[in-house]
Amino acid sequence: MNHLYYGDNLTVLRDSIAAESVDLIYLDPPFNSKRDYNLLFKSPKGHESEAQIEAFLDSWHWGEQAEMDLDSLRTQPNTTVTDLMLALVAALGRNDMTAYLVMMAVRLLEMHRVLKRHGSLYLHCDPVAAHYLKILLDSVFDPTAFRSEIIWKRTSAHSNVYRAYGDITDTIFFYTKGPEFTWNQLYRKSDLETAFPNIEATGRRWRSENMRNPGIRPNLTYPYTASNGVTYQPHPNGWTISREKMKKLDVEGRLHFPAKAGGRLRLKLYADESPGIKLQNLWDDIPPIGSQAAERLGYPTQKPLALLERILLASSNEGDVVLDPFCGCGTAVHAAQKLGRQWIGIDITHLAISLIEKRLKDAFYDKAKPPAEQALQFAVHGTPKDLEGARHLAQMSEHDGRYQFQWWAVSLVEAQPFQGRKKGADKGIDGVKYFHDADAKGARKAIVSVKSGKLKADDVRAFKSVRESEGAEFGFFISLDAPTAGMVSDAASAGFYTTAQGKKLPRLQLLTIEGLMTGAQRAEHPDAAPANFKQAKKEAKGEQA
């Protein structure tokens, strides 16, 4: 079973994921870049709509939590990490950067714990904190566990750069827990004329490759007399192969003899035998997700599916467990599902969890099959499963000043959150939803209001007025408590919307959390062409394109 967790990934890692149970970890943590990442939804007309939601605040500040995390490092067994973080805090001070690094330190220690002995970790970051994260990874895993620093060209050249160099790359650090690790060699397709410039009389393309050993191998420093009668001396490091293998290649005509005296003996490689060029650490062949790309879902830090597929194919096998502890809009778990891996995703916002659930169902759910036969099977943890859980989330949201309950409740009617923490400029609007009728006259709007506390007598009347002033065809009023008879009467006075097929639907619909969760109620409106969250394209299990 695959698992999607809402919550702090530190808590989930400690409480819900066993030691040495994960084969591959990919994390794309917030970069502490001092930007408020906004999840921008486009209205049907293409411009930024009023449904702009702060997905997360990509910034940290030193405070009580950072102090507690730093103190917790003093009691864990990896003293190298403790010494490093104490030294960094002493040298840099208690500031935003060290708060970010302490946050990452306690989590990376847990990721190391849950990783299997042959497992790998890929940490995706930008230049803001990459140098600090590298030495932190060295202290968590050991410097010998470092395998590669991958540079991904994430965007095209910038023209608005002054007195600096254009920042167009991200860094991905690749570490393994042990010296033996899962590795599947990947190749890039090559330009044949460039990669194999020579042509034999038979028409076969070939190129020559250096036979110098990259390390000093005294047992491979023999002179070799080739079939052309010339004796070739090895490089001081030695040949890459034994004398017996060299003779075999010579008999097969696989050696390239240099034209000039004193030249080096080289190996002939043929294009028709080559799977391509072995993948190097510069990845400039995976473009970013453009504004019109089919896979673009609107999430600001969304990474291309091809990028995650490459990582999973290289460092995991079918059936392995892949963990993304900062899963955002779910590209890593999407790639894992597509490539036949098991997966675990964690995120701290209900908005992200709702987006991932929708993305996976759009891409992999087969409506023709019963639930038990679906290839897509996953459990969601941390989101309300019943009315009691919903009430608890509402109380927690009120306590911490966040809008997790509203975001979750809005997702029950597949609407999108409205203006983040601005609360609809005090209009009581928590969500917005666009829909199309069959008359093809363009998108219409519905608005959503969520009430987690005790209902007041005029709540529905006030929302009715807001719906009219907003020009919304529908208003969906979602509450924890059941509405009174007076509220039902107020809602009925809003009248009806007549669909293109002549069906009459109430303009103001009273919905309870319990009714939506049990399926007894749903938001009724025409749905000729969904116009809210972008729909992920339908996928099937398969290999990377």
Side-chain angles (χ1 to χ4, degrees):
M1 177 63 73
N2 303 306
H3 300 274
L4 187 59
Y5 289 90
Y6 158 72
D8 185 334
N9 53 22
L10 182 61
T11 302
V12 175
L13 284 164
R14 287 173 173 170
D15 296 348
S16 303
I17 303 182
E20 298 190 358
S21 62
V22 173
D23 297 277
L24 172 63
I25 298 175
Y26 168 83
L27 64 153
D28 181 14
F31 294 161
N32 201 35
S33 57
K34 300 299 182 187
R35 290 181 294 172
D36 291 349
Y37 279 117
N38 288 321
L39 186 57
L40 301 177
F41 297 93
K42 301 296 183 182
S43 75
K45 294 181 181 179
H47 56 77
E48 293 178 7
S49 73
E50 64 267 39
Q52 180 174 346
I53 182 70
E54 185 180 283
F56 57 84
L57 185 68
D58 185 8
S59 183
W60 279 263
H61 303 286
W62 192 277
E64 181 180 355
Q65 187 60 52
E67 205 68 63
M68 290 174 60
D69 287 343
L70 181 62
D71 188 64
S72 71
L73 290 174
R74 293 185 171 94
T75 61
Q76 57 82 35
N78 188 329
T79 57
T80 303
V81 175
T82 306
D83 292 343
L84 172 67
M85 293 312 303
L86 291 174
L88 282 173
V89 172
L92 302 176
R94 284 168 163 76
N95 53 40
D96 297 350
M97 177 57 75
T98 50
Y100 174 72
L101 294 172
V102 168
M103 180 277 294
M104 288 299 300
V106 293
R107 285 160 175 78
L108 285 169
L109 285 166
E110 290 300 324
M111 291 178 219
H112 184 270
R113 178 186 65 82
V114 305
L115 200 60
K116 292 180 181 178
R117 294 184 183 275
H118 63 261
S120 302
L121 177 141
Y122 288 76
L123 190 155
H124 193 140
C125 58
D126 74 356
V128 175
H131 48 304
Y132 294 121
L133 290 170
K134 172 66 169 64
I135 59 172
L136 177 56
L137 286 164
D138 283 347
S139 67
V140 171
F141 281 81
D142 192 83
T144 61
F146 171 69
R147 300 298 165 209
S148 295
E149 178 183 4
I150 299 163
I151 302 299
W152 174 49
K153 183 183 177 184
R154 59 175 170 77
T155 187
S156 55
H158 297 311
S159 59
N160 59 340
V161 177
Y162 304 98
R163 300 176 66 84
Y165 301 105
D167 181 11
I168 62 172
T169 63
D170 280 353
T171 295
I172 303 173
F173 291 120
F174 169 32
Y175 280 74
T176 62
K177 191 166 184 176
E180 299 297 325
F181 52 91
T182 300
W183 179 251
N184 303 308
Q185 183 63 59
L186 301 185
Y187 298 84
R188 287 178 60 170
K189 289 184 178 179
S190 57
D191 179 346
L192 290 181
E193 292 186 7
T194 301
F196 298 90
N198 308 302
I199 303 177
E200 283 187 344
T202 59
R204 296 180 75 189
R205 282 193 170 273
W206 63 277
R207 65 181 173 86
S208 65
E209 187 173 89
N210 195 334
M211 298 181 72
R212 167 194 172 185
N213 201 298
I216 298 176
R217 298 286 297 275
N219 61 317
L220 298 178
T221 56
Y222 56 88
Y224 179 71
T225 302
S227 57
N228 64 353
V230 178
T231 298
Y232 295 95
Q233 299 298 324
H235 186 276
N237 283 16
W239 304 105
T240 56
I241 55 176
S242 67
R243 188 187 296 271
E244 291 71 23
K245 178 67 173 177
M246 185 77 79
K247 289 180 179 178
K248 184 174 184 296
L249 291 173
D250 195 356
V251 171
E252 294 172 349
R254 305 300 295 259
L255 297 181
H256 172 54
F257 306 124
K260 296 182 179 180
R264 297 283 183 191
L265 194 61
R266 296 173 68 87
L267 176 65
K268 293 176 71 173
L269 297 175
Y270 290 96
D272 55 15
E273 297 177 347
S274 173
I277 304 298
K278 284 186 176 181
L279 189 63
Q280 307 297 305
N281 73 335
L282 175 60
W283 294 2
D284 58 359
D285 60 329
I286 298 178
I289 301 175
S291 60
Q292 304 302 315
E295 72 174 278
R296 186 179 183 88
L297 299 176
Y299 204 82
T301 58
Q302 183 180 351
K303 300 301 184 292
L305 188 60
L307 183 72
L308 273 300
E309 288 178 345
R310 174 172 289 179
I311 291 171
L312 267 61
L313 287 169
S315 292
S316 70
N317 296 314
E318 195 164 333
D320 283 355
V321 178
V322 177
L323 165 66
D324 184 349
F326 295 89
C327 60
C329 66
T331 303
V333 299
H334 184 142
Q337 180 71 31
K338 179 180 177 183
L339 298 176
R341 276 68 169 164
Q342 300 177 77
W343 52 263
I344 303 169
I346 311 171
D347 202 273
I348 200 167
T349 72
H350 278 290
L351 174 61
I353 300 302
S354 298
L355 285 172
I356 295 168
E357 285 190 83
K358 175 173 170 49
R359 176 180 188 171
L360 292 173
K361 289 175 181 177
D362 286 344
F364 298 103
Y365 197 80
D366 186 348
K367 295 181 179 179
K369 294 181 179 180
E373 297 178 15
Q374 295 289 335
L376 175 66
Q377 300 282 352
F378 66 97
V380 182
H381 308 271
T383 57
K385 300 294 188 296
D386 52 29
L387 187 58
E388 182 181 353
R391 291 190 185 280
H392 177 71
L393 177 60
Q395 292 168 1
M396 292 296 294
S397 297
E398 184 177 345
H399 173 73
D400 63 19
R402 298 165 72 181
Y403 289 85
Q404 299 290 352
F405 177 77
Q406 286 90 333
W407 293 350
W408 169 76
V410 162
S411 74
L412 295 178
V413 295
E414 293 192 345
Q416 55 201 45
F418 183 89
Q419 289 187 338
R421 297 177 179 147
K422 297 177 183 178
K423 194 64 175 179
D426 295 326
K427 294 180 180 179
I429 303 174
D430 294 294
V432 64
K433 184 171 188 177
Y434 293 99
F435 66 92
H436 289 275
D437 206 339
D439 56 12
K441 290 184 178 180
R444 279 89 157 179
K445 183 170 73 172
I447 59 173
V448 184
S449 182
V450 178
K451 296 295 181 183
S452 58
K454 186 176 181 180
L455 295 176
K456 300 191 294 291
D458 64 343
D459 280 342
V460 173
R461 287 195 300 273
F463 186 54
K464 174 186 172 184
S465 177
V466 171
R467 183 197 67 79
E468 292 170 352
S469 65
E470 289 291 309
E473 299 289 356
F474 291 98
F476 304 129
F477 185 89
I478 303 174
S479 60
L480 269 170
D481 296 331
T484 64
M487 292 175 178
V488 173
S489 178
D490 289 337
S493 69
F496 294 88
Y497 173 96
T498 304
T499 69
Q501 288 84 10
K503 184 178 181 180
K504 291 185 178 295
L505 301 174
R507 287 192 179 274
L508 207 161
Q509 299 173 27
L510 305 186
L511 307 167
T512 64
I513 292 292
E514 186 174 29
L516 291 171
M517 293 182 72
T518 61
Q521 292 180 303
R522 68 182 185 89
E524 293 188 278
H525 60 84
D527 197 23
N532 298 278
F533 300 104
K534 282 194 65 177
Q535 186 168 352
K537 70 172 185 174
K538 185 64 68 177
E539 293 275 17
K541 178 184 170 185
E543 293 301 311
Q544 179 182 16

